[in-house]
Amino acid sequence: MTPADRVRELRSEIERHNRLYYVDNSPEIDDREYDRLMKELEVLEREHPELDDPLSPTHRVGSDLSGGFTQVVHERPMLSLGNTYSLGEVNDWVERCNEALGNAGGLLSVPIVGEMKFDGTSISLIYEGGRLVRALTRGDGVKGDDVTANVKTIRSIPLVLEPGGDWPERFEIRGEIVLPWAAFERLNAERAFNEEPLFANPRNAAAGTLKMLNTPEVARRGLDAYFYYLLSDQLPADNHYDNMLKARSWGFKVSEVMTLLESTDAVDEFIGYWDKERRNLPVATDGLVFKVNSLRQQLNLGFTAKSPRWAIAYKFAAERALTRLRFVSFEVGRTGVVTPVANLEPVLLSGTVVKRASLHNADIIRNLGIHEEDMLYVEKGGEIIPKITGVDLDARRPDSREVEFVKTCPSCGTELVREPGEAAWICPNKWGCRPQIIGRIEHFVGRHAMDLDGIGDENCAMLYDAGLVGNIADFYRLRVEDIERLDGMGYRSAVKIVDGIKASLGVPFERVLYALSIPYVGETISRKIARAVGSIDRLMAMSPEEIQAIDDVGPSIAASIKEYFGHEGNRAIIERLREAGVQLSMAEQDMSGLTDLLGGKTFVISGVFSRHSRDEYKALIEKNGGKNSGSISKKTDYVLAGENMGPAKLEKAQKLGVPIIDENEFLAMIGE
Ligand code: IVH
């Protein structure tokens, strides 16, 4: 067998297993065997670059995004659906279809397909010769963003269809990109841990993820896709249902919920069943969709300006409950932000008991106009996080007063402060406020930070209250004798903790920087900064302007870093960490290939490149001592321009006389 044959065989084999795993949920091989196939393909592709194919399964996780998104006009506009909210309205619609098609009411001479309405973000895929050529978002319905690179990371989407299948030479398939509940909860848990804003629902998370410029991160988040509409000049069947079954046979994920409904009773039953059962689906849904099955009948019914007459959405009622506010508590987080929380009389909502709901900040309380002991509306729509959406004014007690945001810290009593333009009130007593100190200690210990074995959140509070760990540097002087005396500890758990602390001396600088709890400096930013500056000493010596020149670092992050290192207490902690042997600079091997060829020159990247991805160019600029900036100004030294550079940028660069170089010129500058 020639390498080309083997490569072909491996690709179709891997795609088949992808499909068995991601679409059919019935894998035939285990992960290890799958990885072995993948490895073999990777090796062959490396040895035979001429056999490479951008749609090979090895490229599902790439970083070759063109940055920004190109807008492309849809071949057929992407319309929306008319909404209905009751069984009666759905029945009216069925009747209208019947009448329009010249059928007498009553009997369903218009068979209907019932489907789930997935609550994600819509996508249109174009296939030519069985290969995915383009993926567009809905955009404004007429044109959408080209998100092909991100869509390629979704493993349930076939990139290349099985050769010889009965798919049309050219077709479009539309569906919904979703973030399944499990992936959504995981993502939000991570974000909560990093004190990043949470996604309100899987729809926002899916849409936000699909538009990210960081393809590996998209791949990591676990998007999925369901398909519900096939378009082509050569459709396999004369009805929607059979076309979707075909699409399923070609490897697309078509929901098992899809049902052919041949009587009005069947429609009623379908609604009744899924109104309850939808809660057991792995993805968020906000209703059902009904479609006339026959394509000929669809054609006769046609479209209004906004939506097809042959389809309608039935929206599930957002679940809402009314309950009494017991009191508002104010909770202090690791960075000092004070969050108001509504403590409620327990109430049942979408199958769970709700007792608490975050009110987020003072503005939200004021906008809702909440008074003490008000009756509040709590909603959980498709969302798992309960949300206060309103007040029942009729139920307000006559003497009740407006809820006031605390003026002082509920934990330490310090007067709260608020930065101009920010919604959050903050307790500035970083060094004396117990929840903040313990929060920072817990963060330091966490899995993404120093990952200290054997210590959980409960132990952090205990170590702090016992006077053993007052700040993060104190971990490095803990002794087995100190720990084993504590409640619930013993010799063995104490040894485990001390060993874990020793092992943390190997944690790389980028995670140490994250572990320090510098406000606004999350995991990604820490990594970028650590790689750009190489050591804590260099970072401490940098001006805010220099720090801001690091990719993705804005003025508030730079100011926060300066403030952190400006504090004597923090500097003392850093010195003690250094003495203990914690990594405060990047190891040699992480920094290899660094030069100063670009000597502090500032670059702005624009357009699409062919020899490296945008991200790779950014990294090359930093590795060679240059800086990246997002916008052109007098301070820009070069614009690195690819194809399709934005006209506004071009004009600005020309006006300011900034030299524009292409990728070959750039690569020559760094000797590549
Ligand atoms: S059919 C021309 N079917 O709902 C008809 N749409 O409110 C095209 N959606 O933009 C849409 N599940 O993003 C259809 N089973 C389903 C759907 C569905 C979710 C979304 C889709 C559409 C929106 C309209």
Side-chain angles (χ1 to χ4, degrees), residues 79-81 83 115-119 121-122 138 174-176 228-229 289 291 303 308 310-311 313:
L79 302 176
S80 62
L81 291 171
N83 285 328
E115 295 174 7
M116 197 46 75
K117 187 167 191 299
F118 295 104
D119 201 10
T121 182
S122 40
R138 177 167 186 272
R174 293 186 187 167
E176 200 83 351
Y228 46 65
Y229 194 16
V289 179
K291 298 174 182 169
F303 294 83
W310 47 262

Side-chain angles (χ1 to χ4, degrees), residues 60 77 207 281 394:
R60 279 200 185 257
L281 292 174
D394 294 338

Side-chain angles (χ1 to χ4, degrees), residues 3 46 76 170 227 232 302 305 353 370 403 410 419 432 452 471 499 504 533 538 597 600 618 646:
R46 208 173 313 129
R76 301 173 181 82
R170 191 166 200 293
F227 291 88
S232 170
V353 177
I370 300 178
V403 169
E419 296 290 326
L452 295 189
N471 66 52
D499 285 347
S504 76
V533 306
R538 195 158 159 231
L597 286 168
K618 285 191 177 170

